[in-house]
Protein backbone atom coordinates (compact mmCIF):
# COMPACT_ATOMS: atom_id res chain seq x y z
CA UNK A 1 0.00 0.00 0.00
CA UNK A 2 1.28 3.49 -0.85
CA UNK A 3 2.38 5.75 2.05
CA UNK A 4 -0.50 8.14 1.41
CA UNK A 5 -3.80 7.29 -0.27
CA UNK A 6 -7.01 9.28 -0.60
CA UNK A 7 -10.39 7.82 0.36
CA UNK A 8 -11.14 6.46 -3.09
CA UNK A 9 -7.77 4.73 -3.30
CA UNK A 10 -8.29 3.21 0.15
CA UNK A 11 -11.65 1.85 -0.95
CA UNK A 12 -10.03 0.41 -4.09
CA UNK A 13 -7.45 -1.24 -1.84
CA UNK A 14 -10.24 -2.94 0.11
CA UNK A 15 -12.10 -4.06 -3.01
CA UNK A 16 -9.09 -5.30 -4.98
CA UNK A 17 -6.84 -6.75 -2.28
CA UNK A 18 -9.29 -7.71 0.46
CA UNK A 19 -12.25 -8.75 -1.70
CA UNK A 20 -14.63 -6.37 0.08
CA UNK A 21 -17.97 -5.68 -1.63
CA UNK A 22 -17.79 -1.97 -2.55
CA UNK A 23 -21.49 -1.49 -1.71
CA UNK A 24 -20.86 -2.46 1.93
CA UNK A 25 -18.30 0.30 2.47
CA UNK A 26 -19.95 3.39 4.06
CA UNK A 27 -19.35 6.68 2.30
CA UNK A 28 -16.55 8.82 3.84
CA UNK A 29 -15.81 6.06 6.38
CA UNK A 30 -12.12 6.99 6.39
CA UNK A 31 -12.93 10.59 7.26
CA UNK A 32 -14.27 9.27 10.56
CA UNK A 33 -11.54 6.75 11.30
CA UNK A 34 -8.16 6.02 9.75
CA UNK A 35 -7.50 2.94 7.65
CA UNK A 36 -4.70 1.79 9.96
CA UNK A 37 -7.04 1.74 12.97
CA UNK A 38 -10.13 0.38 11.22
CA UNK A 39 -8.66 -2.25 8.89
CA UNK A 40 -5.07 -3.16 9.75
CA UNK A 41 -5.62 -4.47 13.32
CA UNK A 42 -8.32 -6.95 12.23
CA UNK A 43 -7.13 -8.32 8.91
CA UNK A 44 -5.86 -11.53 10.53
CA UNK A 45 -9.34 -12.10 11.99
CA UNK A 46 -11.09 -11.40 8.69
CA UNK A 47 -8.82 -13.42 6.40
CA UNK A 48 -9.54 -17.08 5.68
CA UNK A 49 -5.92 -18.17 5.27
CA UNK A 50 -2.37 -17.07 4.60
CA UNK A 51 -0.53 -17.75 1.35
CA UNK A 52 3.01 -18.64 2.40
CA UNK A 53 4.26 -18.57 -1.17
CA UNK A 54 3.02 -15.05 -1.88
CA UNK A 55 3.37 -13.94 1.74
CA UNK A 56 -0.11 -12.42 1.77
CA UNK A 57 -3.47 -12.96 3.41
CA UNK A 58 -6.32 -14.67 1.56
CA UNK A 59 -9.80 -13.18 1.95
CA UNK A 60 -13.24 -14.62 1.18
CA UNK A 61 -15.03 -13.35 -1.90
CA UNK A 62 -17.60 -10.55 -1.67
CA UNK A 63 -16.62 -9.65 1.87
CA UNK A 64 -18.79 -7.38 4.02
CA UNK A 65 -16.97 -4.33 5.42
CA UNK A 66 -19.39 -4.37 8.37
CA UNK A 67 -17.20 -7.14 9.83
CA UNK A 68 -14.35 -4.67 10.23
CA UNK A 69 -16.63 -2.03 11.70
CA UNK A 70 -18.17 -4.45 14.21
CA UNK A 71 -14.75 -5.67 15.35
CA UNK A 72 -13.59 -2.06 15.79
CA UNK A 73 -16.69 -1.28 17.89
CA UNK A 74 -16.09 -4.30 20.11
CA UNK A 75 -12.42 -3.35 20.44
CA UNK A 76 -13.36 0.23 21.38
CA UNK A 77 -15.86 -1.00 23.98
CA UNK A 78 -13.31 -3.28 25.64
CA UNK A 79 -10.57 -0.62 25.52
CA UNK A 80 -12.82 2.01 27.09
CA UNK A 81 -13.88 -0.37 29.86
CA UNK A 82 -10.30 -1.36 30.62
CA UNK A 83 -9.21 2.29 30.57
CA UNK A 84 -11.86 3.11 33.17
CA UNK A 85 -10.81 0.24 35.44
CA UNK A 86 -7.10 0.97 35.01
CA UNK A 87 -7.64 4.64 35.84
CA UNK A 88 -9.58 3.67 38.96
CA UNK A 89 -6.92 1.16 40.01
CA UNK A 90 -4.12 3.66 39.36
CA UNK A 91 -5.78 6.30 41.53
CA UNK A 92 -6.33 3.93 44.45
CA UNK A 93 -2.89 2.32 44.13
CA UNK A 94 -1.09 5.68 44.22
CA UNK A 95 -3.17 6.71 47.23
CA UNK A 96 -2.23 3.49 48.99
CA UNK A 97 1.48 3.97 48.25
CA UNK A 98 1.35 7.60 49.39
CA UNK A 99 -0.38 6.61 52.65
CA UNK A 100 2.22 3.91 53.34
CA UNK A 101 5.07 6.34 52.71
CA UNK A 102 3.44 8.85 55.07
CA UNK A 103 3.31 6.18 57.76
CA UNK A 104 6.97 5.34 57.23
CA UNK A 105 8.04 8.97 57.47
CA UNK A 106 6.39 9.16 60.89
CA UNK A 107 8.72 6.39 62.09
CA UNK A 108 11.89 8.18 60.95
CA UNK A 109 13.80 11.34 61.72
CA UNK A 110 13.21 12.57 58.15
CA UNK A 111 10.67 15.23 57.32
CA UNK A 112 8.05 14.49 54.65
CA UNK A 113 9.82 16.82 52.19
CA UNK A 114 13.31 15.46 52.75
CA UNK A 115 14.56 13.91 49.50
CA UNK A 116 18.04 13.06 50.82
CA UNK A 117 17.47 9.30 50.92
CA UNK A 118 16.18 9.26 47.36
CA UNK A 119 19.10 11.42 46.24
CA UNK A 120 21.52 8.97 47.82
CA UNK A 121 19.86 6.02 46.10
CA UNK A 122 19.82 7.91 42.81
CA UNK A 123 23.56 8.55 43.06
CA UNK A 124 24.12 4.77 43.17
CA UNK A 125 22.55 4.27 39.75
CA UNK A 126 24.25 4.80 36.37
CA UNK A 127 23.23 7.84 34.36
CA UNK A 128 20.55 7.58 31.68
CA UNK A 129 23.15 8.12 28.95
CA UNK A 130 25.35 5.37 30.32
CA UNK A 131 22.45 2.93 30.50
CA UNK A 132 21.41 3.70 26.92
CA UNK A 133 24.88 2.98 25.54
CA UNK A 134 25.20 -0.40 27.26
CA UNK A 135 23.75 -3.57 25.82
CA UNK A 136 23.31 -5.37 29.13
CA UNK A 137 23.70 -5.04 32.89
CA UNK A 138 27.25 -6.40 32.95
CA UNK A 139 28.50 -3.61 30.69
CA UNK A 140 27.34 -1.01 33.22
CA UNK A 141 30.43 -1.95 35.22
CA UNK A 142 28.95 -0.85 38.53
CA UNK A 143 28.35 -2.29 41.98
CA UNK A 144 25.14 -1.32 43.68
CA UNK A 145 22.05 -2.64 45.43
CA UNK A 146 18.70 -2.24 43.72
CA UNK A 147 16.27 -2.15 46.63
CA UNK A 148 12.51 -2.10 46.75
CA UNK A 149 12.13 1.65 47.19
CA UNK A 150 8.56 1.50 48.40
CA UNK A 151 10.21 0.48 51.66
CA UNK A 152 12.71 3.36 51.39
CA UNK A 153 15.98 1.58 52.00
CA UNK A 154 17.11 1.89 55.65
CA UNK A 155 14.63 4.66 56.44
CA UNK A 156 13.26 2.37 59.10
CA UNK A 157 14.14 -0.99 60.62
CA UNK A 158 13.23 -3.69 58.15
CA UNK A 159 14.90 -6.39 56.12
CA UNK A 160 15.22 -4.85 52.68
CA UNK A 161 14.31 -6.91 49.66
CA UNK A 162 16.97 -6.73 46.97
CA UNK A 163 15.82 -6.84 43.38
CA UNK A 164 17.16 -8.97 40.56
CA UNK A 165 17.93 -6.20 38.10
CA UNK A 166 18.45 -6.05 34.38
CA UNK A 167 19.09 -3.11 32.09
CA UNK A 168 15.41 -2.23 31.67
CA UNK A 169 14.74 -2.29 35.41
CA UNK A 170 17.73 -0.04 36.06
CA UNK A 171 16.60 2.35 33.30
CA UNK A 172 13.06 2.49 34.69
CA UNK A 173 14.36 3.09 38.21
CA UNK A 174 16.62 5.85 36.93
CA UNK A 175 13.70 7.52 35.12
CA UNK A 176 11.39 7.31 38.14
CA UNK A 177 13.95 8.77 40.54
CA UNK A 178 14.81 11.57 38.11
CA UNK A 179 11.11 12.43 37.85
CA UNK A 180 10.77 12.61 41.64
CA UNK A 181 13.95 14.58 42.25
CA UNK A 182 12.92 17.25 39.73
CA UNK A 183 10.25 18.24 42.25
CA UNK A 184 12.79 18.69 45.04
CA UNK A 185 12.47 22.46 44.65
CA UNK A 186 10.52 25.36 46.12
CA UNK A 187 9.24 26.72 42.84
CA UNK A 188 7.85 25.47 39.56
CA UNK A 189 4.60 24.49 37.87
CA UNK A 190 2.59 21.30 38.25
CA UNK A 191 -0.89 20.29 37.12
CA UNK A 192 -1.22 18.53 40.48
CA UNK A 193 -2.97 20.91 42.89
CA UNK A 194 -1.08 19.70 45.97
CA UNK A 195 2.32 20.15 44.33
CA UNK A 196 1.40 23.56 42.93
CA UNK A 197 0.10 24.61 46.37
CA UNK A 198 3.56 23.93 47.80
CA UNK A 199 5.24 25.84 44.98
CA UNK A 200 2.92 28.78 45.60
CA UNK A 201 4.04 28.77 49.24
CA UNK A 202 7.71 28.40 48.18
CA UNK A 203 7.99 25.05 49.95
CA UNK A 204 9.29 21.70 48.72
CA UNK A 205 6.41 19.27 47.97
CA UNK A 206 6.12 16.27 50.31
CA UNK A 207 7.55 13.05 48.89
CA UNK A 208 4.28 11.21 49.49
CA UNK A 209 2.48 13.87 47.41
CA UNK A 210 4.91 13.48 44.53
CA UNK A 211 3.72 9.87 44.13
CA UNK A 212 0.46 11.24 42.66
CA UNK A 213 2.37 12.95 39.85
CA UNK A 214 4.09 9.76 38.67
CA UNK A 215 2.88 7.43 35.97
CA UNK A 216 1.86 3.96 37.09
CA UNK A 217 5.00 2.63 35.41
CA UNK A 218 7.20 4.95 37.48
CA UNK A 219 5.48 3.91 40.70
CA UNK A 220 6.08 0.26 39.83
CA UNK A 221 9.71 1.08 38.97
CA UNK A 222 10.20 1.98 42.63
CA UNK A 223 9.13 -1.46 43.81
CA UNK A 224 10.23 -5.05 43.49
CA UNK A 225 8.20 -6.35 40.55
CA UNK A 226 10.99 -8.16 38.78
CA UNK A 227 11.51 -11.37 40.66
CA UNK A 228 9.91 -13.46 43.41
CA UNK A 229 13.35 -13.89 44.97
CA UNK A 230 15.64 -11.23 46.38
CA UNK A 231 18.96 -11.23 44.56
CA UNK A 232 21.95 -8.96 45.16
CA UNK A 233 23.13 -7.17 42.04
CA UNK A 234 26.85 -7.54 41.78
CA UNK A 235 29.16 -7.08 38.87
Amino acid sequence: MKPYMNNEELIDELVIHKNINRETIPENIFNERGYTTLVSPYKRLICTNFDTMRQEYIYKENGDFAEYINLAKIDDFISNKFSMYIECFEKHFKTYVAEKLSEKFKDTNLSCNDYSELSRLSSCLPSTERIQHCHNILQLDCHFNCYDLLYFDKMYNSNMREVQANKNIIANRRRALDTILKLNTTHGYSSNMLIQHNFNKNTVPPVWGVIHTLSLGDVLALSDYSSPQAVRVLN
Side-chain angles (χ1 to χ4, degrees):
M1 193 167 69
K2 294 189 295 185
Y4 176 78
M5 301 172 69
N6 59 37
N7 285 359
E8 190 60 37
E9 289 175 322
L10 290 173
I11 291 175
D12 288 339
E13 171 76 15
L14 289 172
V15 173
I16 297 170
H17 297 288
K18 293 180 173 52
N19 297 335
I20 296 295
N21 183 340
R22 187 181 293 270
E23 295 180 0
T24 67
I25 305 175
E27 186 178 358
N28 298 323
I29 183 65
F30 295 117
N31 289 338
E32 301 173 11
R33 186 161 180 160
Y35 183 97
T36 55
T37 63
L38 186 55
V39 177
S40 299
Y42 315 111
K43 58 187 180 183
R44 290 188 180 182
L45 300 177
I46 300 296
C47 76
T48 59
N49 211 331
F50 184 76
D51 189 330
T52 55
M53 295 293 293
R54 297 182 179 180
Q55 291 294 301
E56 61 183 25
Y57 294 106
I58 300 173
Y59 299 90
K60 61 185 177 183
E61 295 295 330
N62 201 34
D64 188 344
F65 192 68
E67 293 184 66
Y68 285 96
I69 296 175
N70 290 336
L71 283 172
K73 288 181 178 179
I74 294 172
D75 203 0
D76 286 344
F77 174 80
I78 294 173
S79 296
N80 290 335
K81 285 294 183 181
F82 270 106
S83 295
M84 180 179 68
Y85 291 131
I86 291 172
E87 182 179 350
C88 183
F89 166 78
E90 185 173 339
K91 179 180 179 180
H92 284 82
F93 180 66
K94 288 180 180 179
T95 300
Y96 171 79
V97 171
E99 288 177 351
K100 288 301 178 182
L101 290 182
S102 297
E103 293 175 6
K104 301 309 176 185
F105 270 109
K106 292 178 182 178
D107 298 331
T108 72
N109 294 322
L110 297 175
S111 66
C112 64
N113 56 359
D114 187 338
Y115 291 66
S116 59
E117 189 66 19
L118 289 177
S119 295
R120 186 188 69 78
L121 291 168
S122 176
S123 67
C124 296
L125 294 177
S127 67
T128 301
E129 293 75 17
R130 191 177 173 194
I131 296 172
Q132 289 175 342
H133 287 86
C134 292
H135 296 293
N136 55 57
I137 187 70
L138 296 178
Q139 289 183 324
L140 291 176
D141 189 27
C142 56
H143 178 173
F144 58 92
N145 297 325
C146 196
Y147 290 111
D148 182 340
L149 297 192
L150 290 185
Y151 289 93
F152 271 1
D153 169 27
K154 299 179 182 177
M155 278 181 57
Y156 61 100
N157 294 327
S158 177
N159 293 323
M160 293 302 304
R161 290 184 297 170
E162 296 180 50
V163 182
Q164 181 180 4
N166 60 32
K167 181 184 174 182
N168 289 335
I169 291 173
I170 300 301
N172 291 341
R173 177 69 60 84
R174 171 84 273 167
R175 184 194 65 243
L177 285 173
D178 287 347
T179 300
I180 292 176
L181 293 174
K182 284 180 181 177
L183 294 178
N184 184 19
T185 179
T186 58
H187 61 278
Y189 172 78
S190 174
S191 58
N192 182 280
M193 294 179 61
L194 172 63
I195 304 301
Q196 189 59 49
H197 174 70
N198 282 269
F199 287 156
N200 293 341
K201 294 175 60 179
N202 293 319
T203 57
V204 176
V207 175
W208 57 263
V210 170
I211 293 297
H212 291 284
T213 70
L214 301 177
S215 67
L216 183 58
D218 281 346
V219 175
L220 293 176
L222 300 178
S223 63
D224 177 7
Y225 62 93
S226 60
S227 171
Q229 296 181 339
V231 180
R232 181 177 297 277
V233 181
L234 296 174
N235 184 18

